């Protein structure tokens, strides 16, 4: 089997991007480290993929970071974390161009514009964009959901994560639980819906009796949705939210009605944004590490672009983060 840049990086104990810069003579690498990397490459019998080298010379130095939409449902917190993850790997090797798929003009994708694409897709409506990129031979990695059988992906357990937080609420004695879902057309919403529904059924709770309101994953939509739940159902003991931003909005709605969290109403989120751990919030949530997702995706894309070998999918677990917004009601 041919030696790849990834093999050299693992042996040398350095990053993939550093090996790439050393071998290609691009970017800053300390001379001593560069010589060490070149020596290791020679000793391992590394031979550059000439087709990839020629292709690289004809392509741009742009990597597209593509979201289904920027303004309608992409959280600025998620955008921030994804950028951190991507830049931690890409560095100055390429230019990162943030692109909204719903604003794409069909027929304009080509390898002179983009050397590769990281696609954070939220809906099947992105298929036209994906197919155009595939037809043009642009390397792609999907981050957060699978978009096509031929496109490698970094995938997280959306359904399992929501099962965990619903299980936790039920373990804490909550039975009157309201739910704030996100945009029903997004795959993440559908998977999270399956998660809490399955957990409720496993606990022999009538899932059809659970009151549901909808938001758009943004703060104010959570505030308004929580207000509707609290005004219509005065016996609720908990609200399960499909992301942290809407959970923060729900906390505001509870406070506006004179309720204390978690004494009067428990609230949970999903994502574990940095702000969720702040001392005045301390939100119980599910960690869906966007920085890690983006970091893994960027590593896969660089390897794909350099070696031409289709990477394997990466599966990341979501963990429950227990903080201060859930009350144990078993002894109430």
């Amino acid at each position: 089997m041919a030696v790849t840049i990834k093999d050299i990086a693992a042996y040398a104990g350095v990053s993939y991007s550093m090996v790439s810069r050393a071998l290609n003579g691009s970017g800053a690498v300390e001379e001593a480290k560069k010589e060490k990397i070149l020596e290791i490459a020679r000793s391992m019998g590394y031979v550059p993929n000439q087709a990839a080298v020629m292709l690289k010379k004809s392509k741009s130095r742009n990597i597209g970071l593509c979201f289904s939409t920027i303004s309608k449902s992409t959280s600025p917190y998620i955008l921030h974390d994804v950028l951190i993850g991507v830049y931690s790997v890409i560095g100055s090797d390429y230019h990162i161009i943030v692109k909204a798929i719903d604003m794409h003009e069909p027929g304009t994708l080509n390898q002179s514009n983009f050397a590769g694409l990281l696609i954070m897709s939220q809906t099947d409506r992105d298929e036209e964009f994906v197919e155009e990129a595939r037809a043009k031979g642009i390397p792609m990695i999907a981050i957060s959901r699978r978009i096509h059988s031929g496109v490698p992906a970094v995938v997280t357990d959306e359904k399992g994560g929501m099962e965990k937080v619903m299980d936790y609420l039920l373990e804490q004695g909550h039975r009157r639980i309201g739910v704030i879902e996100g945009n029903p057309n997004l795959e993440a919403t559908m998977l999270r819906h399956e998660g809490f529904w399955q957990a409720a059924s496993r606990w022999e709770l009538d899932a059809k009796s659970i009151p549901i309101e909808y938001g758009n994953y943004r703060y104010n939509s959570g505030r308004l949705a929580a207000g509707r739940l609290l005004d219509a159902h005065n016996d609720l003991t908990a609200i399960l939210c499909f992301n942290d931003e809407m959970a923060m909005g729900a906390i505001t709605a509870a406070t506006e009605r004179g309720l204390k969290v978690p004494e009067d109403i428990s609230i949970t989120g999903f994502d574990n944004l940095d702000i969720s751990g702040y001392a005045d919030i301390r939100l119980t949530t599910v960690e869906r590490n966007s920085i890690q997702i983006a970091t893994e995706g960027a590593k896969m894309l660089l390897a794909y672009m350099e070696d031409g070998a289709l990477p394997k999918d990466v599966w990341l677990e979501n963990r429950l983060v227990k903080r201060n917004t859930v009350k144990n009601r078993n002894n109430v």
Side-chain angles (χ1 to χ4, degrees):
M1 180 179 285
V3 175
T4 68
I5 293 178
K6 188 175 182 180
D7 297 328
I8 299 170
Y11 188 91
V14 298
S15 70
Y16 180 97
S17 59
M18 180 178 289
V19 174
S20 177
R21 290 195 299 270
L23 294 176
N24 296 320
S26 62
V29 180
E30 291 179 16
E31 194 61 32
K33 289 184 178 179
K34 180 179 178 180
E35 288 302 321
K36 177 184 176 183
I37 291 168
L38 292 174
E39 177 57 34
I40 290 172
R42 284 191 290 268
S43 67
M44 294 179 72
Y46 172 73
V47 178
N49 183 323
Q50 292 302 316
V53 171
M54 293 302 295
L55 185 60
K56 186 190 295 184
K57 289 180 179 178
S58 66
K59 291 192 300 186
S60 79
R61 304 299 294 177
N62 297 331
I63 286 179
L65 179 55
C66 309
F67 296 83
S68 294
T69 177
I70 298 298
S71 61
K72 295 179 182 177
S73 58
T74 299
S75 163
Y77 299 103
I78 298 295
L79 177 59
H80 171 266
D81 285 354
V82 169
L83 283 169
I84 288 177
V86 171
Y87 272 108
S88 72
V89 175
I90 303 298
S92 59
D93 291 351
Y94 290 88
H95 306 293
I96 307 301
I97 297 178
V98 178
K99 184 174 180 65
I101 295 175
D102 60 351
M103 297 178 68
H104 171 66
E105 184 178 341
T108 60
L109 279 179
N110 56 66
Q111 291 191 4
S112 65
N113 292 334
F114 293 104
L117 299 172
L118 285 166
I119 300 181
M120 193 161 191
S121 173
Q122 298 170 298
T123 172
D124 289 340
R125 289 194 295 271
D126 298 336
E127 284 186 11
E128 182 180 2
F129 178 88
V130 173
E131 285 301 324
E132 182 178 339
R134 290 184 75 243
K136 298 293 179 64
I138 303 174
M140 283 182 291
I141 300 294
I143 50 180
S144 82
R145 67 180 285 263
R146 289 186 178 87
I147 57 177
H148 192 284
S149 59
V151 178
V154 182
V155 183
T156 64
D157 189 5
E158 306 274 352
K159 177 175 174 288
M162 190 56 78
E163 281 189 64
K164 289 175 183 176
V165 71
M166 185 66 170
D167 278 336
Y168 180 60
L169 285 174
L170 293 166
E171 289 167 1
Q172 299 303 301
H174 295 272
R175 293 298 181 272
R176 289 296 296 151
I177 302 170
V179 175
I180 300 177
E181 298 196 4
N183 185 330
N185 296 318
L186 302 184
E187 184 174 309
T189 303
M190 300 174 194
L191 291 171
R192 294 175 194 185
H193 176 90
E194 289 179 22
F196 92 76
W197 190 277
Q198 185 164 316
S201 299
R202 191 169 56 249
W203 282 74
E204 298 183 349
L205 184 67
D206 181 10
K208 293 181 180 178
S209 69
I210 297 175
I212 298 174
E213 289 288 343
Y214 294 89
N216 63 4
Y217 287 110
R218 304 304 289 273
Y219 167 87
N220 200 49
S221 74
R223 173 178 165 270
L224 295 174
R228 293 192 295 271
L229 282 173
L230 293 169
D231 293 344
H233 308 277
N234 59 13
D235 60 342
L236 292 182
T237 65
I239 299 177
L240 179 149
C241 302
F242 273 32
N243 79 333
D244 289 358
E245 272 199 72
M246 292 194 299
M248 293 173 204
I251 292 173
T252 298
T255 301
E256 291 172 341
R257 286 158 178 78
L259 301 175
K260 293 182 179 180
V261 179
E263 291 84 356
D264 302 316
I265 187 80
S266 294
I267 294 174
T268 63
F270 200 108
D271 281 334
N272 194 30
L273 303 175
D274 281 347
I275 194 173
S276 303
Y278 287 4
D280 58 341
I281 300 175
R282 301 293 295 158
L283 179 68
T284 293
T285 185
V286 174
E287 182 175 73
R288 180 182 177 279
N289 194 323
S290 296
I291 295 177
Q292 183 185 10
I293 292 168
T295 299
E296 292 294 333
K299 289 179 180 177
M300 289 168 65
L301 182 61
L302 281 184
Y304 192 6
M305 289 161 53
E306 295 285 349
D307 297 328
L310 198 68
K312 294 181 180 179
D313 288 350
V314 171
W315 176 266
L316 300 176
E317 287 286 339
N318 293 325
R319 71 182 183 93
L320 179 65
V321 180
K322 301 175 185 178
R323 294 196 181 104
N324 298 346
T325 58
V326 174
K327 178 181 179 178
N328 187 329
R329 297 185 58 84
N330 286 311
N331 297 320
V332 175

